[in-house]
Amino acid sequence: MPHRHLRHRRTLLATFAAFAVLAGTAAAAPAATARTAPAPATPLQTFDDTYYEGATGKTGTALKSALHTIISKQTKVSYSQVWDALKNTDQDPANSSNVVLVYSGRSISKNSSGGSVGQWNREHVWAKSHGDFGTVTGPGTDIHHLRPEDVQVNSIRGNKDFDNGGSPVSGAPGSYTDSDSFEPRDAVKGDVARMILYMAVRYEGGDGFADLEPNERVSNGSAPYMGRLSVLKAWSQEDPPDAFEKRRNDVIYNQYQHNRNPFVDHPEWVESIW
């Protein structure tokens, strides 16, 4: 952000002249800047008084149950519709033609989507094999845990659980992996944790899908579990929701699924439930 140089006021006339110049410059500035600025977020208190009303005052299993009821009311999208949704939810704030890759942190053209090397595809943060839900409408297409990622990095992550440690991931600076786990870069550790915990609350064994739950293991395989819970909780505390994650939550709520990730709005609910 450029610094404004403070000037000593010399005469009243000079001050008025400076204001006149600034006013003229502002009037001549193009309106595009205002159009590209993100819309102001809805005040959280508004959601607490309406959307989250049924969860107010609850903790533990009662809070989890209340949130499940609230966020299960959603509009579902198809797997093909996810392509266009991610171009919006994960748009680069500095370049509206690009998306930001979740693990890599790289900005890449929205049009460079597909399955080839150098392109981006749809990463299931809750690996779809953990519960065997595939890409069918429901958990397999829930945008709250689907993110754009480089094809090769997505393959490296595979269906591994989340934990700390390992060797550096090629193409994803700050990320690490070993034989049974994956550690994302620091800037999205909390995002990953809150996506996993959203899935655990949203999918409780109804809708014909498995009951998804976090646990303390890695190498969960095809079981409907994802670890490691203690690490995910620590990540959520270390990396609180930022403007990008909050905007993403708003876009999904307003334009696509019409449900919210409660842990983006209230990260303190992580500790309250787990």
Side-chain angles (χ1 to χ4, degrees):
M1 179 180 293
H3 296 287
R4 294 183 178 178
H5 299 284
L6 298 178
R7 300 176 179 176
H8 295 291
R9 188 174 60 184
R10 296 179 178 177
T11 67
L12 186 60
L13 181 59
T15 302
F16 286 160
F19 280 126
V21 170
L22 289 173
T25 302
T33 300
R35 289 198 298 269
T36 57
T42 304
L44 181 57
Q45 187 62 47
T46 299
F47 290 120
D48 286 347
D49 293 342
T50 54
Y51 187 74
Y52 292 123
E53 184 179 12
T56 302
K58 294 181 171 63
T59 60
T61 56
L63 174 59
K64 186 183 181 189
S65 177
L67 292 176
H68 169 72
T69 299
I70 292 167
I71 67 178
S72 293
K73 298 171 184 176
Q74 70 181 96
T75 299
K76 296 182 176 69
V77 298
S78 70
Y79 197 46
S80 62
Q81 289 174 319
V82 170
W83 285 117
D84 286 333
L86 294 185
K87 293 176 182 178
N88 187 2
T89 60
D90 291 73
Q91 178 176 294
D92 183 348
N95 184 347
S96 61
S97 297
N98 287 11
V99 291
V100 178
L101 305 184
V102 59
Y103 305 135
S104 308
R106 184 162 58 94
S107 179
I108 185 173
S109 171
K110 292 178 178 179
N111 297 325
S112 186
S113 58
S116 301
V117 173
Q119 293 183 311
W120 65 269
N121 59 7
R122 297 158 292 185
E123 154 71 341
H124 289 78
V125 177
W126 184 293
K128 55 184 181 288
S129 64
H130 289 232
D132 195 29
F133 51 75
T135 60
V136 296
T137 301
T141 65
D142 196 312
I143 310 169
H144 277 296
H145 85 116
L146 282 159
R147 301 292 291 266
E149 185 47 70
D150 174 84
V151 169
Q152 291 175 291
V153 174
N154 194 349
S155 179
I156 291 171
R157 188 267 159 140
N159 70 343
K160 295 175 182 176
D161 293 85
F162 292 103
D163 199 359
N164 291 313
S167 302
V169 175
S170 176
S175 296
Y176 300 88
T177 192
D178 55 24
S179 62
D180 57 18
S181 69
F182 189 90
E183 177 185 349
R185 60 194 176 98
D186 289 347
V188 295
K189 279 184 165 69
D191 307 50
V192 166
R194 287 180 284 274
M195 285 185 278
I196 293 298
L197 299 177
Y198 160 87
M199 292 292 282
V201 172
R202 170 59 185 86
Y203 298 98
E204 293 276 47
D207 297 346
F209 300 110
D211 180 5
L212 306 183
E213 292 295 338
N215 68 5
E216 273 301 312
R217 295 186 56 192
V218 291
S219 298
N220 276 299
S222 61
Y225 305 114
M226 187 70 71
R228 187 177 305 263
L229 176 59
S230 59
V231 172
L232 294 170
K233 288 172 63 178
W235 287 355
S236 183
Q237 288 187 336
E238 294 164 5
D239 174 38
D242 59 14
F244 187 94
E245 189 180 3
K246 291 177 181 178
R247 175 193 176 274
R248 192 174 198 278
N249 200 24
D250 284 341
V251 171
I252 294 172
Y253 175 74
N254 290 321
Q255 300 183 33
Y256 297 102
Q257 296 184 178
H258 310 297
N259 72 338
R260 301 183 68 79
N261 182 335
F263 304 112
V264 176
D265 293 326
H266 284 281
E268 72 276 8
W269 282 346
V270 171
E271 193 66 36
S272 182
I273 294 175
W274 287 283

